Amino acid sequence: MSMPPELTLNPTAGADAPRYYLRDEHHPENGTLLGFWLYLMSDCLVFACLFAVYGVLGRSYAAGPSGADLFDLPLVAVNTSLLLLSSITYGFAVLEMQRKHLRATLVWLGVTGLFGLGFLSLELYEFAHLIHEGAGPQRSAFLSSFFTLVGTHGLHVTFGIVWLVTLMFQLGRHGLTAPNRRRVMCLSMFWHFLDVVWIGVFTFVYLMGVLP
Amino acid sequence: MNHDDHGHGHDDHDHHDGGHAPSTLKGYATGFILSVILTAIPFWLVMGKAFNNSSTTALVILGFAAVQIVVHMVYFLHMNARSEGGWTMLALIFTLVLVVITLSGSLWVMFHMNSNMMPTMHEMKVRP
């Protein structure tokens, strides 16, 4: 609020002055984290729709290759471990932030980013390999829905990494200020949320896709 | 509101942010170890072909996924009924209801559309 509250008061209504007192000012961060959680829930609905599309179309191969022909489970296992490791290293970053160790926070955030990049590179390699084999998104309804679902998740990871790098610059410049700590907590929720979505992807798409 | 029912009603910003309990190494480590186990078992079940029946395998790995999602929610996202005065939990429950309706509704409706409306190979052959 830029204007001092008493300027807005009617001078004859002095008894009403206390209602301009902002009672909640001592925890202003709650609003952001709750709002960000609501955004994540709406993102969850986006993924629910994409999962539903994959659930409906996932066996429509159009005489093309099926999941059992295409999916390379060891690669998916490595990808899953990379994302899980990035979750725990982000947890370490949050712990170091609570101890007010800026440098250690930055190091763990950097490690998280590297795991995220590893995940993305493997996923892009997988996509390139599929497209090279003629199993691109235009081949069948199964592959269209597969690329949409997994690609949307990968896009989220990409934006998570962009945000992570931005946050590291903000932390490096301003230190562990209250706004920066709030940003770290928001990205923490985003990052762990992406791992939760990935649980659904590797179970529903990859593992169930190779079942006969 | 999240006040005064557990000793420290005001948020102490020196220790934690935004009304969440401070994260602990023990919490993250427990979540990580549980997640590794809950990830490894489904991969082993599918890659090692532990069950002959596909639908048994599918049901079991879906169960593991559900448990692992709960583990992530509790240990990594610090979900509990008290954070933000219960509003995060309320939003989560609402979202889960919508997700269940979306998924089960789509699968159910489209499965019946497929089985009732799709021409079979035989019908396609006899069509003029």
Side-chain angles (χ1 to χ4, degrees), chain B:
Chain B
M1 296 297 287
N2 187 15
H3 50 197
D4 293 345
D5 50 5
H6 48 95
H8 49 284
H10 67 286
D11 290 329
D12 186 350
H13 283 263
D14 286 342
H15 288 123
H16 54 242
D17 295 77
H20 285 271
S23 313
T24 57
L25 178 62
K26 189 163 169 273
Y28 279 117
T30 314
F32 180 71
I33 291 167
L34 283 176
S35 300
V36 169
I37 296 169
L38 290 169
T39 304
I41 294 175
F43 270 96
W44 171 74
L45 284 178
V46 172
M47 291 166 84
K49 299 186 174 56
F51 297 112
N52 287 326
N53 190 346
S54 284
S55 43
T56 317
T57 316
L59 279 179
V60 171
I61 64 177
L62 280 178
F64 274 105
V67 176
Q68 198 185 347
I69 286 174
V70 173
V71 166
H72 275 243
M73 286 279 175
V74 171
Y75 289 103
F76 290 162
L77 284 163
H78 311 301
M79 276 302 294
N80 58 54
R82 283 181 291 104
S83 68
E84 311 285 355
W87 287 107
T88 49
M89 183 58 87
L90 195 67
L92 178 65
I93 292 170
F94 178 61
T95 311
L96 285 182
V97 170
L98 288 185
V99 167
V100 168
I101 293 174
T102 313
L103 281 176
S104 59
S106 305
L107 292 177
W108 182 51
V109 168
M110 295 310 288
F111 176 78
H112 281 270
M113 294 272 279
N114 271 343
S115 52
N116 292 329
M117 315 270 299
M118 281 279 195
T120 60
M121 289 310 282
H122 177 68
E123 284 167 342
M124 285 167 79
K125 274 180 194 144
V126 299
R127 193 172 287 176

Side-chain angles (χ1 to χ4, degrees), chain A residues 5 13 16 23 26 33 35 45 55 59 63 74 113 184:
Chain A
D16 289 339
R23 287 190 304 130
H26 63 285
L33 288 183
L45 293 181
R59 302 265 163 180
V184 170

Side-chain angles (χ1 to χ4, degrees), chain A residues 5 10 14 20 27 39 49 55 60 76 98 115 118 142 162 168 175 183 189 192:
Chain A
N10 183 345
Y20 289 93
H27 47 206
Y39 153 69
C49 294
S60 308
V76 181
Q98 286 176 350
F115 278 129
F142 152 64
V162 171
M168 285 172 73
R183 289 168 190 142
M189 284 157 71
H192 294 311

Side-chain angles (χ1 to χ4, degrees), chain A residues 42-121:
Chain A
S42 67
D43 222 11
C44 195
L45 293 181
V46 170
F47 279 109
C49 294
L50 294 177
F51 272 110
V53 169
Y54 183 82
V56 169
L57 299 175
R59 302 265 163 180
S60 308
Y61 302 126
S66 72
D69 304 326
L70 294 174
F71 296 152
D72 183 11
L73 281 190
L75 188 74
V76 181
V78 173
N79 241 352
T80 307
S81 345
L82 284 179
L83 210 55
L84 197 53
L85 283 169
S86 81
S87 258
I88 186 78
T89 55
Y90 203 106
F92 291 153
V94 170
L95 292 175
E96 292 297 341
M97 183 187 76
Q98 286 176 350
R99 294 194 201 108
K100 306 223 182 285
H101 294 165
L102 176 61
R103 184 163 291 276
T105 310
L106 284 173
V107 168
W108 283 118
L109 285 179
V111 174
T112 308
L114 288 180
F115 278 129
L117 273 183
F119 171 85
L120 265 188
S121 339

